[in-house]
Amino acid sequence: MDAVRIRDDIYWVGAIDWSMRNFHGYETGRGSSYNAYLILDEHVTLIDTVKEPFAGELIERISSLIDPEKIDYIVSNHVEPDHSGSLLKILALCPNATVITSLPNGLKGLTARYGEQAYKGIKAGDTLSIGHRTLSFVPTPMLHWPDSMVTYCPEEKVLFSNDAFGQHLASGQRFDDENDIDLILFEAKKYYANILMLYGRQAQAALKALAGLDIELILTGHGISWRSHIKDILSLYQKWST
Ligand SMILES: [Fe+2]
Ligand SMILES: [Fe+2]
């Protein structure tokens, strides 16, 4: 299984779950995906992992690019197992990697699930240099758990948005302009309604925190990512959250 090139040195290495039909109790008739991304910089960085049964796909896709042993950082934007479930299997291959997680809830959640590991807790505004690129971290509590955060790379103008802006939609394509936009927007709305609607106030706070960022790509944790309809999905989140 090959990785999908997003742009130079940034690859999708996630997994597509074609048969998932129920997520957090809502019907997901079109499956989903667990999106993870690999950045090949001086310090190789993996952004999120995948649900545990798909760990083999993640490892295969990473291995099509580099030896997983070379991973220096794993950014865990969210501790729920659809994003962190393969953490121990990956760490077994790169035992020297550091896992970046939010303080205090990410650290608490990961430690409860996976025991003591080489975690580095970060707070709002903290940054991490990975070589030519920087990663900065924006907490997005309750989108959709207290530990949730998103990761922004200013040099690439890329936002790794985890649960925010996603959809439960299995697709062989990765971007909004490669798919039926009406279907993607329908699934994005259904996802918001089922997973995020209770947290309108927190979604407003997250939108405010993201407002100053120059974003060319939103690389989601589920489904399709955004490059041609970024303004549309941001203004829909604005509308839905109010
Ligand atoms: Fe979640
Ligand atoms: Fe998720």
Side-chain angles (χ1 to χ4, degrees), residues 28-221:
T28 49
R30 295 184 173 92
S32 192
S33 70
Y34 314 110
N35 298 332
Y37 303 93
L38 192 69
I39 308 175
L40 302 178
D41 207 318
E42 281 166 24
H43 298 287
V44 174
T45 302
L46 177 65
I47 311 277
D48 292 314
T49 75
V50 299
K51 205 172 177 176
E52 196 273 338
F54 296 85
E57 288 193 31
L58 172 71
I59 291 164
E60 224 177 281
R61 288 194 165 101
I62 294 170
S63 303
S64 74
L65 299 164
I66 50 146
D67 183 337
E69 193 190 21
K70 293 199 161 61
I71 296 172
D72 297 299
Y73 294 115
I74 302 169
V75 174
S76 175
N77 283 311
H78 181 26
V79 301
E80 270 197 307
D82 53 327
H83 302 282
S84 75
S86 302
L87 191 61
L88 292 183
K89 286 188 174 166
I90 289 290
L91 279 174
L93 301 175
C94 53
N96 296 320
T98 300
V99 180
I100 311 293
T101 182
S102 68
L103 284 173
N105 292 313
L107 183 61
K108 241 188 261 172
L110 288 181
T111 306
R113 277 178 195 278
Y114 306 113
E116 293 295 336
Q117 306 292 340
Y119 300 121
K120 180 178 161 55
I122 53 87
K123 300 180 301 301
D126 282 355
T127 59
L128 176 74
S129 171
I130 58 168
H132 303 293
R133 299 173 182 83
T134 314
L135 300 178
S136 72
F137 306 102
V138 182
T140 53
M142 299 320 291
L143 294 186
H144 92 287
W145 265 19
D147 70 285
S148 294
M149 67 174 188
V150 298
T151 298
Y152 177 67
C153 176
E155 293 85 358
E156 298 282 351
K157 300 180 182 175
V158 169
L159 180 71
F160 298 92
S161 71
N162 195 266
D163 273 338
F165 312 119
Q167 331 84 46
H168 287 312
L169 176 57
S171 168
Q173 275 86 44
R174 303 269 47 90
F175 282 105
D176 52 358
D177 49 23
E178 300 173 312
N179 281 265
D180 174 355
I181 188 63
D182 292 332
L183 174 65
I184 300 166
L185 292 174
F186 171 80
E187 290 295 346
K189 188 177 187 178
K190 186 173 162 186
Y191 178 100
Y192 185 92
N194 280 280
I195 296 195
L196 301 175
M197 198 161 71
L198 292 176
Y199 309 114
R201 206 160 36 85
Q202 291 87 342
Q204 282 282 300
L207 289 172
K208 216 183 229 176
L210 300 179
L213 303 180
D214 189 2
I215 300 173
E216 277 179 9
L217 285 182
I218 297 177
L219 299 179
T220 61

